[in-house]
Amino acid sequence: QVQLVESGGGVVQAGGSLRLSCAQSGRTFSNYAMGWFRQGPGKERKFVAAMSWSGGTTYYTDSVKGRFTISRDNAKNTVYLQMNSLKAEDTAIYYCAASADLLAATTMPAYWGQGTQVTVSS
């Protein structure tokens, strides 16, 4: 079983930055594609970013391109989401996700973290 634990959420002013972290345990981290999703107030959970097991392929939803960067450190079993130029509409609970398949990591991941709240004040 894969366990995912997010950290790094908080309150930030519009235009600011945050870096989310997600630590994985339970299975070999480098075997999994990793992703981030978010769920805003009253909205459905949606895809944000994903990265292949090697880090060689990344995907982003259009609204975060150029502002968010996903990265991973396989030696630390951790995936990150660097969020810059934050906007009020980025306010959401951010979830880390893992899947053996990169496409699945962007749509229906096999494993989820518990989420971390990000609030952007305008």
Side-chain angles (χ1 to χ4, degrees):
Q1 193 71 308
V2 172
Q3 291 83 42
L4 303 170
V5 179
E6 302 97 333
S7 61
V11 179
V12 62
Q13 288 190 333
S17 298
L18 278 176
R19 188 176 81 157
L20 305 182
S21 300
C22 173
Q24 190 235 357
S25 61
R27 296 283 176 88
T28 303
F29 179 69
S30 58
N31 287 346
Y32 290 88
M34 301 298 294
W36 289 94
F37 288 69
R38 66 186 180 185
Q39 185 168 16
K43 298 181 180 179
E44 295 181 350
R45 190 177 303 187
K46 292 187 177 180
F47 168 74
V48 175
M51 173 171 274
S52 62
W53 67 269
S54 68
T57 303
T58 57
Y59 295 116
Y60 296 93
T61 192
D62 286 346
S63 62
V64 307
K65 286 179 181 177
R67 300 189 299 123
F68 290 12
T69 303
I70 188 171
S71 62
R72 65 190 294 160
D73 186 336
N74 286 350
K76 295 183 178 180
N77 294 348
T78 301
V79 63
Y80 304 97
L81 186 67
Q82 177 67 44
M83 305 185 294
N84 298 329
S85 302
L86 283 161
K87 305 175 182 180
E89 51 263 42
D90 295 317
T91 295
I93 300 173
Y94 283 72
Y95 296 90
C96 176
S99 188
D101 178 74
L102 178 57
L103 180 60
T106 70
T107 55
M108 296 181 64
Y111 304 99
W112 294 93
Q114 83 288 350
T116 186
Q117 177 71 47
V118 172
T119 302
V120 184
S121 61
S122 57

